[in-house]
């Protein structure tokens, strides 16, 4: 069993995870761990229930959800489907020193950092198990992708780990996954699979990939609850560009600790959707106000909203995550230019040295 630098509180922990409660100050952080070898085979615990920051729903909560829960907006909430922002365009040209992101939809991004092209939680399928079809098309045609240098996976839920999409990749593509998820990829003949625990990192072609905690859980079948870990990723280029990909998470104390361990985050890719009903989802999904608060906890300079406008996973109106995110950003007194509220298919580029005309944001 691999030990971590800092483990999660027990499953019954509350406090900082309660809605409206500020996260406690981050304790002093130890130095970053030495990079793990790529493709290392490791032995993991049978389950990771001890990493939960809130208990999973019990029978009483499930009965309440069966009585009054909703997994889809009503007619009024779906009225804005035609207004969802969808503006696909060509991937921007970027220099090796640039940080560029293109939103393909949901939690799927095409990230260019340190000269690498990295996909996050790639889901190019029209439909995923247990949900209606996409309400916006994929923002980037698969054929338009450059060579994919790496893939990062946050956890094993179907809207983040999509087997049909991953089958499109060459099996030698490096994939970075949470502890316990490597066997899923090796069964599908991927040959360069690196599993990491929280606070561990590795390096590929000068870019460091660090796996960090999240307030979430994992499950893919009836018998594998929390048998693999969940988390987010911090990508750091040799030139100092740093991106945080949250994956899927509720609000809580981990954000301030991540920010202390990885200062100077240039851009946080933050989930803002799938939050209603709040009593059911608050422990595992940020709402827009919490996403903005988490970005401040991280000390990130910019935020790009995600995890909305692609699949109908909960009951909030389809356009509400965007309008509430913009309002929360404004109330926090943050610079409007630092909210990268991209349409599906949209791109932004940050180049500290030299901007590519028409594409870069300084």
């Amino acid at each position: 069993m691999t030990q971590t630098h800092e483990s999660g509180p027990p499953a019954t922990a509350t406090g900082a995870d309660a809605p409206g409660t500020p996260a406690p100050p981050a304790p002093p952080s130890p130095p970053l761990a030495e990079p793990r070898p790529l493709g290392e085979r490791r032995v993991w615990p049978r389950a990771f229930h001890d990493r939960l920051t809130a208990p999973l729903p019990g029978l009483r909560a499930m009965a309440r959800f069966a009585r009054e829960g909703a997994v889809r907006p009503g007619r009024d909430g779906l009225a804005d489907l035609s207004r969802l922002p969808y503006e696909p365009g060509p991937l921007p040209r970027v220099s090796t020193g640039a940080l560029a992101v293109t939103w393909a939809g949901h939690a799927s991004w095409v990230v260019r950092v340190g000269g690498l092209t990295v996909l996050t939680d790639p889901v190019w399928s029209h439909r995923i198990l247990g949900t209606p079809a996409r309400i916006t098309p994929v923002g980037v045609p698969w054929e338009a992708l450059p060579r994919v240098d790496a893939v990062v996976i946050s956890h094993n839920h179907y809207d983040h780990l999509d087997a049909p999409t991953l089958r499109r990749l060459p099996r030698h593509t490096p994939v970075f996954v949470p502890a316990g998820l490597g066997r899923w990829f090796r069964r599908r003949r991927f040959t360069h699979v690196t599993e990491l625990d929280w606070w561990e990192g590795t390096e590929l072609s000068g870019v460091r990939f660090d796996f960090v905690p999240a307030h979430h859980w994992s499950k893919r079948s009836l018998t594998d609850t929390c048998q693999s870990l969940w988390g987010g990723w911090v990508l750091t280029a040799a030139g100092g560009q740093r991106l945080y990909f949250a994956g899927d998470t509720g609000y809580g104390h981990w954000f301030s600790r991540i920010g202390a361990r990885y200062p100077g985050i240039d851009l946080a890719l933050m989930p803002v959707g799938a939050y209603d009903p709040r009593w059911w989802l608050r422990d595992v999904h940020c709402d827009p106000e919490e996403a903005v608060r988490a970005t401040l906890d991280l000390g990130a300079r910019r935020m790009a909203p995600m995890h909305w406008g692609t699949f109908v996973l909960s009951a909030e109106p389809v356009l509400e995550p965007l309008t509430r995110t913009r309002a929360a950003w404004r109330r926090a007194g943050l610079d409007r230019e630092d909210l990268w509220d991209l349409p599906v298919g949209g791109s932004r580029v940050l180049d500290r040295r030299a901007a590519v005309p028409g594409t870069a944001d300084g």
Side-chain angles (χ1 to χ4, degrees):
M1 172 177 174
T2 301
Q3 294 190 358
T4 61
H5 300 283
E6 187 176 4
S7 64
T12 56
T14 54
D17 296 313
T21 304
S29 293
L32 299 185
E34 287 296 314
R36 306 288 310 195
L38 290 169
E40 181 183 19
R41 293 290 190 108
R42 306 172 67 177
V43 177
W44 299 107
R46 291 180 60 87
F48 295 89
H49 291 85
D50 62 318
R51 308 297 183 88
L52 292 167
T53 46
L56 295 177
L59 291 177
R60 181 177 297 178
M62 291 182 179
R64 178 182 173 186
F65 185 77
R67 291 194 312 270
E68 62 186 65
V71 296
R72 186 174 174 83
R75 180 177 298 178
D76 290 345
L78 295 171
D80 288 323
L81 280 174
S82 63
R83 298 178 57 203
L84 291 173
Y86 175 73
E87 299 175 18
L91 296 177
R93 295 178 294 116
V94 296
S95 67
T96 302
L99 170 63
V101 294
T102 302
W103 190 31
H106 203 53
S108 303
W109 294 85
V110 183
V111 175
R112 263 84 64 77
V113 59
L116 298 183
T117 297
V118 182
L119 299 185
T120 69
D121 288 359
V123 179
W124 260 250
S125 295
H126 181 63
R127 184 187 299 271
I128 57 173
L129 185 67
T131 69
R134 301 176 82 104
I135 55 176
T136 48
V138 180
V140 183
W142 187 262
E143 299 75 21
L145 290 173
R147 185 190 71 181
V148 175
D149 297 300
V151 172
V152 297
I153 301 294
S154 63
H155 65 298
N156 70 355
H157 288 161
Y158 281 87
D159 58 322
H160 294 259
L161 180 62
D162 182 52
T165 299
L166 292 164
R167 280 198 294 267
R168 300 184 180 195
L169 291 166
R171 296 305 186 270
H172 62 266
T173 303
V175 292
F176 299 94
V177 304
L181 196 54
R183 58 184 176 269
W184 189 94
F185 282 86
R186 286 189 286 268
R187 284 200 303 267
R188 287 156 179 82
R189 301 184 180 179
F190 281 87
T191 58
H192 292 73
V193 182
T194 303
E195 296 175 88
L196 296 178
D197 204 339
W198 288 351
W199 307 123
E200 292 183 341
T202 190
E203 291 183 355
L204 176 68
S205 301
V207 176
R208 179 166 172 129
F209 293 71
D210 284 272
F211 189 54
V212 294
H215 300 269
H216 206 59
W217 65 304
S218 70
K219 182 181 181 67
R220 202 168 173 88
S221 72
L222 294 176
T223 59
D224 68 348
T225 302
C226 295
Q227 289 186 8
S228 61
L229 199 49
W230 52 91
W233 291 92
V234 176
L235 276 54
T236 308
Q241 299 88 350
R242 176 165 279 170
L243 173 139
Y244 167 67
F245 168 65
D248 210 352
T249 181
Y251 179 75
H253 67 289
W254 286 129
F255 296 108
S256 59
R257 300 187 184 190
I258 294 167
R261 186 81 61 98
Y262 304 93
I265 294 171
D266 291 295
L267 175 64
L269 307 178
M270 291 297 304
V272 302
Y275 52 79
D276 189 25
R278 205 74 200 106
W279 67 267
W280 176 255
L281 292 168
R282 70 186 181 196
D283 292 323
V284 293
H285 287 163
C286 287
D287 65 22
E289 294 77 16
E290 290 169 336
V292 172
R293 190 187 316 162
T295 300
L296 294 173
D297 292 347
L298 289 163
R301 299 184 176 100
R302 300 164 188 84
M303 170 182 147
M306 65 171 184
H307 206 266
W308 77 280
T310 308
F311 298 105
V312 176
L313 301 176
S314 55
E316 71 271 8
V318 293
L319 199 58
E320 183 181 278
L322 178 61
T323 58
R324 283 178 55 176
T325 298
R326 288 173 173 171
W329 195 262
R330 183 174 60 253
R331 285 195 303 270
L334 301 171
D335 190 333
R336 181 65 180 83
E337 284 298 307
D338 292 335
L339 179 61
W340 289 14
D341 48 348
L342 300 177
V344 175
S347 301
R348 287 291 289 271
V349 180
L350 176 67
D351 195 331
R352 294 174 176 173
R353 298 179 302 175
V356 177
T359 63
D361 179 275

